[in-house]
Every structure is written in C-alpha cells, then in structure tokens.
Amino acid sequence: MLLALDKRGSLYDQIARAIRVEILEGRIAAGSKLPSTRTLAIALGVSRKSVLQAYDLLCAEELAIAREGSGTRVGKVGSSTRISTRTRMVPTSLYALRARSLPSITLAGAHISCRPIYDLHYGEPLVDPALFHSWRRKLAAAALRAGPTYPLAGGYLPLRRAIAEYLGRRRGIVCDAADILVVGGTQQALTLIERVLLNPGDDVVVEDPHYQLTLHSLLAHGARVTSVRTDAEGLVVQELPRRETRLLLVTPSHQFPSGVAMTLTRRLELLRWAARTGSWIFEDDYDTEFHSRARPLPALRSLDLADRVLYVGTFSKSLFPSLRLGFIVCPKSLRDDLYRAKLLDDIGSATMEQAALGAFIQSGMFEKHLRKSAKELVNRRRAIVAALQRLAGSHVEIGPHDAGMHFIVWFRHLAFDRLDAFIERARSLGLGLYPVHPYYRTRPTRPGLLVGYAGLSVSQLRTAVELFARCLESE
Ligand SMILES: Cc1ncc(COP(=O)(O)O)c(C=O)c1O
C-alpha cells in the first residue's frame, strides 16, 4: 500500500485520511488486511503510535475493524458508499452557472494580502476608535436584552422605529416602523427585491457608470440588464426606455462612482417616468450622510407620491461594513412580499446587533458620530484635493468631490495603454491606485482612477499624493 501524506494536521490524521481515500475509492477491498502497525510505521518513517491512532480512528468510523490476534481489516463499504473523492461537484443550477461567468470581486479587507501602505482603495471605512468603544458598550447591553428566540423577519421593532424617525429628521422621508424592513446591507436588499420583482429575462436598467456588485447580483439572477448614461445632472432620464422596466437602479444623491448629485429637475422627471411606465426604482442612498453641504438634497423617496421607489439605506458607510445591516423603506404594495422573502432567506437579521444599533441611534450617539466623521472626512477630502491640485493639477482633472468617501481623478495626458504600468509603478512605491473604467459599461474616453480617501489620515494622504506626483514625473 503506497500512501501519500498531505502534511495537513497531525500525523495520525494524515495517515487515516490517506487510508480512508484508498478505501472509499475501492483500491483496498472490503475484508482485506491492513499492514501491521509496525510495517506501516517503518514504511512511512513515523512512530507506531501514530499508525495505531490512525487505525483507531478508522475503526471508530467503521471503515476498519480490529480483531484481537488477526490485525485490522477493511470494513464492508457498500457500493453506494464507494465514491470517488476526486470527482468534482458541478453546480447544476442556471444561477450558479451565471454567477460563475462573472469576474470575481472581493471586498474582504482582511484577505487582501500585501496591501500597499498608502492604499487609495474605495470601500475602506473611516475608523474611529471612539466609535468602537461606544459600540462595544451598546452590544454588551444588547446581549442582555435581545433574548434567545428567533428574530422578527421585518426587523427588531425599536430599531425600525429609530430608523423611521431618523429618516424623517435627516432625509425628509415620511414612513413608520412597519414600512422598514431590516436587511443584511444593500446587497441583501437587492437580492430580496429581485426575488419579489424579477423573473429571469426581465428588463432592468442600471446607471452607467455603476456599482459592480449590484450589477453582478442582477446578472446572476438572470435579469436582462441595459444601462443608461449619466451626465453632469445625473441619470439622463430622456434616454430611459419608454416601455415598462421592471426595475431601475439609481444613486441619485451621490452617483456612484462619478460623484454627481442628480438635479431636482431630473428627479422629478424620473418619478414621472416611473409612474407613467409602471416601473420600480431602487434608490441606493449609500453615503449621503457625508455631504459637505449643511443638508444633502432630499431623497427621491421623499418626492415619490406614486409609491414607486424602494429606498435602500446601509450602515456600511455611516458605521462600518462588517456590521452587514441596512434597510428597505418598502412601498406599501410590496411590503408583505418583501417580508416573506426575508423570512425565507435568513429568517431575520441577528437581534443583538439590531438591538445595539437601535439603542445607538435612539441615544443620539449615531448622529453625534456622523457629525464627527463628516468633519474628519471633510478634512481628509480637502487635504487630498488640495495636494492633488498643487502637485498634479496640470496632469489630472478631479471629478465632483463634495460628498462621500471617494472621487474620480481623470488623467489629462496618460494614454490607456500606459495605465497598467503606471499603477504598477505606484505600487512599487507603496501607493495603491485603482482604475475607474471597470465601473463603466461604455469605456470612458480617457483613463481615470477611483480614489477612496476615508482609510488614510491627512498626513498619509499628503504622502500618497507626493508619491502619485513622483509617478507622473517619470511618465
Ligand atoms: C454604490 C454603493 N451602494 C451600496 C454600497 C454598500 O453596500 P452594502 O450595504 O451591501 O455594504 C456601496 C459600498 O461600497 C456602494 O458603493
């Protein structure tokens, strides 16, 4: 018997695993005798004890039987259990096949190895240590209050009330707790909305440019996705299809990633289009809390008299993305279907985090945190924009940058075919840069970068721009 050990885990585990594969794949017949522990130990160059432990494990799994005086034999493995462990499982659903065909994206920061020191990656949260102290206290208190029973599918009631009041105060949205469905972030909001509104093949429109993960979710679901361009006033509403579109995804308060705020005229045109064609609108309001203006423009939902807008909010930007909490303000006619979809998907979001978040909002700490973060983000934004204008102003054009945690930098002279080498050179200096064209369905005429600045301090941002300028000089 030739055994190849895989060097994973303890020795006896490796020996047992190797023999298990031989038995399951039928290379050692039922009833045949396994080598004596001494012989196998010598052959493998291991201690006899390791082989003994491996045999014990196989006997406990009933794959082998030890008999006093006659050694250890292979147990009876029926033909139905004889399987090839080398056979690959092939996903058979159309969903899995569609999902496989999409380029892979990972947002999980912890898994990105060798990150550059000055990483201008979009999606990095602004980390405020004070927030985590208060959050820890709220979580500890919530642990006592939340209780062990299953959550309500719609969400923890005090949190839904707190969200409804917050939206009334800050986004001009009139709703009550029953209209709020708590979900696992924007991504789950979209999955549930797809289940309730879309059959495979249904028409969906996204903005060009757009947020890739929502597009991927739509494509995996089987939607027929087209895109409509955006300009300096936001989505070009006149170019929307004239017939019913099941769903339109928009980021009116802060177009992603261009940074444009949709004008009031366009918002009203868009709502008229939805009412006229009977289409639904997914309003992705992902980061308006951090606007430089005293008050951002009101949400589309606050102007929606026909009840066609599904307003989706997230705590990924206002708090931190690992929280995985967000919400939908549901149109009345879709509310029950959305609740049902949530119940069938995961029964309900975790109560403890919901209770902590509810208390955090209700105590006023959330809005205090928002004010503090907004101030810090303005400092960081001003620092990076000023440095870019000073050190690279003749080489780049900076896109709209009065909100959120990112903006676009367009190169004035760099050609597309130099972009990869430019990014590579920046990386060798410890600067992480990311192209913006993958977010566009129609490739822009010149290359640009999507710059996320929330994760670096003011002085780190200044150094990042100095490195950027150094790369430009060598072009
Ligand atoms: C346009 C847009 N929408 C939504 C989100 C947040 O998604 P989630 O709530 O699933 O974390 C992001 C995060 O980067 C985003 O860029």
Side-chain angles (χ1 to χ4, degrees):
M1 186 168 59
L2 262 176
L3 292 180
L5 304 188
D6 60 16
K7 301 200 168 48
R8 292 199 334 249
S10 61
L11 255 182
Y12 77 88
D13 243 344
Q14 294 180 43
I15 300 167
R17 192 156 49 239
I19 299 175
R20 191 182 297 121
V21 169
E22 297 297 308
I23 297 173
L24 290 174
E25 293 194 343
R27 282 189 293 276
I28 320 180
S32 56
K33 203 169 162 199
L34 291 176
S36 74
T37 49
R38 191 186 310 277
T39 313
L40 188 57
I42 292 167
L44 292 174
V46 300
S47 73
R48 213 175 137 212
K49 187 170 160 226
S50 298
V51 180
L52 263 170
Q53 285 174 313
Y55 281 12
D56 282 349
L57 187 59
L58 292 166
C59 290
E61 292 171 352
E62 297 181 8
L63 287 170
I65 303 158
R67 290 236 172 77
E68 194 89 14
S70 70
T72 305
R73 289 180 184 277
V74 175
K76 268 214 177 76
V77 182
S79 57
S80 60
T81 39
R82 193 177 284 173
I83 45 157
S84 169
T85 50
R86 298 202 177 124
T87 311
R88 279 262 169 105
M89 289 290 287
V90 182
T92 49
S93 80
L94 291 174
Y95 176 90
L97 289 177
R98 287 190 295 261
R100 265 190 190 188
S101 71
L102 298 165
S104 70
I105 295 180
T106 177
L107 301 180
H111 301 296
I112 303 172
S113 55
C114 324
R115 295 183 64 150
I117 309 174
Y118 302 100
D119 198 8
L120 296 173
H121 187 253
Y122 169 69
E124 291 306 301
L126 180 119
V127 180
D128 175 7
L131 166 69
F132 288 95
H133 287 304
S134 2
W135 181 247
R136 194 187 56 197
R137 282 195 297 273
K138 291 284 178 233
L139 261 186
L144 297 174
R145 229 181 21 253
T149 55
Y150 279 112
L152 269 181
Y156 187 67
L157 210 52
L159 172 62
R160 291 155 80 192
R161 271 194 220 112
I163 292 173
E165 286 163 16
Y166 168 81
L167 291 174
R169 268 196 311 278
R170 301 269 303 203
R171 305 296 290 122
I173 296 175
V174 181
C175 62
D176 57 40
D179 301 317
I180 306 289
L181 171 62
V182 177
V183 293
T186 313
Q187 207 60 26
Q188 192 190 35
L190 180 57
T191 310
L192 302 181
I193 290 169
E194 285 163 353
R195 288 195 190 146
V196 166
L197 286 180
L198 300 179
N199 290 312
D202 279 351
D203 287 319
V204 175
V205 173
V206 297
E207 295 170 308
D208 192 14
H210 59 270
Y211 178 54
Q212 286 164 309
L213 269 184
T214 48
L215 173 68
H216 286 195
S217 175
L218 290 162
L219 293 173
H221 186 79
R224 205 164 58 188
V225 184
T226 51
S227 44
V228 167
R229 80 191 163 91
T230 54
D231 63 14
E233 293 183 53
L235 182 76
V236 183
V237 178
Q238 297 88 325
E239 295 183 11
L240 284 170
R242 298 197 181 281
R243 58 179 194 287
E244 179 198 336
T245 297
R246 290 300 281 169
L247 189 63
L248 163 71
L249 271 71
V250 270
T251 44
S253 302
H254 190 218
Q255 205 283 328
F256 185 83
S258 72
V260 168
M262 193 187 283
T263 58
L264 186 61
T265 315
R266 288 272 175 93
R267 287 170 195 241
L268 295 172
E269 272 174 26
L270 182 57
L271 290 170
R272 278 198 291 274
W273 168 84
R276 192 173 61 245
T277 57
S279 308
W280 293 102
I281 297 176
F282 181 115
E283 178 177 14
D284 178 359
D285 203 26
Y286 61 105
D287 75 352
T288 16
E289 290 88 358
F290 302 123
H291 225 281
S292 299
R293 282 190 223 123
R295 261 186 108 78
L297 283 171
L300 198 59
R301 166 82 192 189
S302 70
L303 308 166
D304 171 31
L305 302 178
D307 213 16
R308 305 301 302 176
V309 176
L310 297 109
Y311 175 93
V312 177
T314 178
F315 293 96
S316 289
K317 303 284 171 203
S318 53
L319 287 173
F320 45 92
S322 65
L323 182 58
R324 305 312 306 135
L325 280 177
F327 56 89
I328 308 176
V329 181
C330 308
K332 294 266 184 296
S333 57
L334 297 179
R335 208 164 67 180
D336 290 346
D337 291 318
L338 286 166
Y339 281 16
R340 243 173 249 130
K342 172 72 178 168
L343 178 85
L344 294 180
D345 199 48
D346 65 1
I347 298 179
S349 295
T351 310
M352 202 194 296
E353 280 78 2
Q354 290 195 66
L357 181 54
F360 198 64
I361 299 175
Q362 216 121 41
S363 66
M365 286 167 101
F366 178 59
E367 277 158 270
K368 191 170 156 212
H369 158 75
L370 289 182
R371 282 193 295 277
K372 189 173 166 200
S373 304
K375 220 162 135 192
E376 181 54 30
L377 274 175
V378 168
N379 289 340
R380 293 183 188 197
R381 193 182 298 151
R382 282 195 186 136
I384 185 171
V385 169
L388 277 169
Q389 280 163 344
R390 189 162 43 85
L391 297 176
S394 57
H395 295 274
V396 296
E397 188 185 317
I398 305 169
H401 51 268
D402 58 357
M405 304 175 166
H406 73 273
F407 53 77
I408 299 181
V409 163
W410 297 106
F411 288 99
R412 292 185 200 272
H413 314 298
L414 192 80
F416 259 112
D417 59 8
R418 292 286 312 143
L419 185 62
D420 286 349
F422 187 89
I423 290 174
E424 206 47 52
R425 159 113 174 94
R427 211 176 171 85
S428 71
L429 299 177
L431 174 65
L433 299 177
Y434 301 90
V436 77
H437 64 266
Y439 298 85
Y440 283 75
R441 284 196 122 191
T442 306
R443 196 175 157 115
T445 49
R446 51 191 173 156
L449 301 169
L450 176 61
V451 175
Y453 53 85
L456 298 183
S457 67
V458 164
S459 71
Q460 287 172 320
L461 288 168
R462 288 193 182 122
T463 311
V465 176
E466 280 162 20
L467 295 173
F468 180 65
R470 215 190 295 167
C471 296
L472 282 171
E473 274 161 25
S474 55
E475 265 310 303

